[in-house]
Amino acid sequence: ETGVTQTPRHLVMGMTNKKSLKCEQHLGHNAMYWYKQSAKKPLELMFVYSLEERVENNSVPSRFSPECPNSSHLFLHLHTLQPEDSALYLCASSQAPVDTEAFFGQGTRLTVV
Amino acid sequence: GEDVEQSLFLSVREGDSSVINCTYTDSSSTYLYWYKQEPGAGLQLLTYIFSNMDMKQDQRLTVLLNKKDKHLSLRIADTQTGDSAIYFCAKGAFSGGYNKLIFGAGTRLAVHP
């Protein structure tokens, strides 16, 4: 248990569906991250929120839309995804700006059919 | 560039030492990390080393950093079957008010009897 909880753990969705991934951290951190982990590829940083402001958006397609309503919660809204978006989506949190350690959730395994 | 490279696979016998290697191209990192990922799980922070250190030891884990060669290694002493997992090397650099982590593709460690 890392203090970062992601739901759901598994999600299967059609290309026309809309769904959301949720991340909650109980560590009192003020920075939260979304990473994408595809097979045989390095983890890709998607979005970063620091002090509830988005500070990084790594050229992610607009069909992925993040939301950070407060420092403990992070969402990733999904719509009209493609099969190549199937991956493990990992959430992490840290304490900016001197955040030596980032803690990860268990991830959401997303399958787009 | 911001590449972090690791070999993809390592097989060791139970009780032997494992050495997982990592090289990186950008020397501006402040911290270097080792994460462990077990099947179906998120990333677990194992250890990290500050860029002005050469070595860090934590129980069975020894991290060696060669800044000149931009080479990081993780040695696991007395490797056990429970150590079977994917090990990710990552480098961190403070940018835009948060610690930006760049990951390698991961080394799959298989421990056999």
Side-chain angles (χ1 to χ4, degrees), chain B residues 32-94:
Chain B
L32 294 126
Y33 301 82
W34 285 104
Y35 281 85
K36 176 184 180 182
Q37 186 178 35
E38 297 181 7
L43 272 67
Q44 173 195 353
L45 178 62
L46 285 179
T47 186
Y48 63 90
I49 187 168
F50 191 48
S51 58
N52 69 353
M53 297 169 63
D54 298 323
M55 186 183 89
K56 180 178 180 181
Q57 187 153 0
D58 184 0
Q59 298 182 334
R60 291 191 298 124
L61 304 179
T62 303
V63 178
L64 295 178
L65 175 59
N66 182 328
K67 289 182 288 294
K68 175 174 169 289
D69 293 339
K70 296 179 187 156
H71 182 267
L72 182 74
S73 68
L74 174 69
R75 178 176 179 270
I76 305 173
D78 187 25
T79 311
Q80 302 298 308
T81 54
D83 295 322
S84 295
I86 301 175
Y87 290 81
F88 291 92
C89 167
K91 66 185 186 79
F94 291 104

Side-chain angles (χ1 to χ4, degrees), chain A residues 9 33 35 37 42-43 48 50 55-56 88 90 96-97 99-102 104-106, chain B residues 31 33 35 37 40-43 45 48 88 94 96-101 103-105:
Chain A
R9 292 293 307 278
Y33 310 73
Y35 284 87
Q37 186 179 26
L43 271 76
V48 181
S50 180
V55 295
E56 178 107 13
L88 182 68
L90 291 163
D99 43 353
T100 56
E101 301 177 19
F104 283 78
Q106 300 269 49
Chain B
Y31 293 93
Y33 301 82
Y35 281 85
Q37 186 178 35
L43 272 67
L45 178 62
Y48 63 90
F88 291 92
F94 291 104
Y98 68 96
N99 190 6
K100 182 175 181 178
L101 295 179
F103 286 86

Side-chain angles (χ1 to χ4, degrees), chain A residues 66-82:
Chain A
E67 179 190 1
C68 187
N70 56 61
S71 58
S72 300
H73 293 86
L74 184 66
F75 294 90
L76 188 63
H77 304 298
L78 316 170
H79 65 97
T80 59
L81 294 191
Q82 304 299 310

Side-chain angles (χ1 to χ4, degrees), chain A residues 6-25:
Chain A
Q6 290 186 242
T7 54
R9 292 293 307 278
H10 301 272
L11 177 63
V12 179
M13 61 185 288
M15 288 189 282
T16 58
N17 291 160
K18 288 184 181 180
K19 296 285 185 184
S20 295
L21 309 185
K22 179 182 175 183
C23 177
E24 184 174 1
Q25 58 96 1

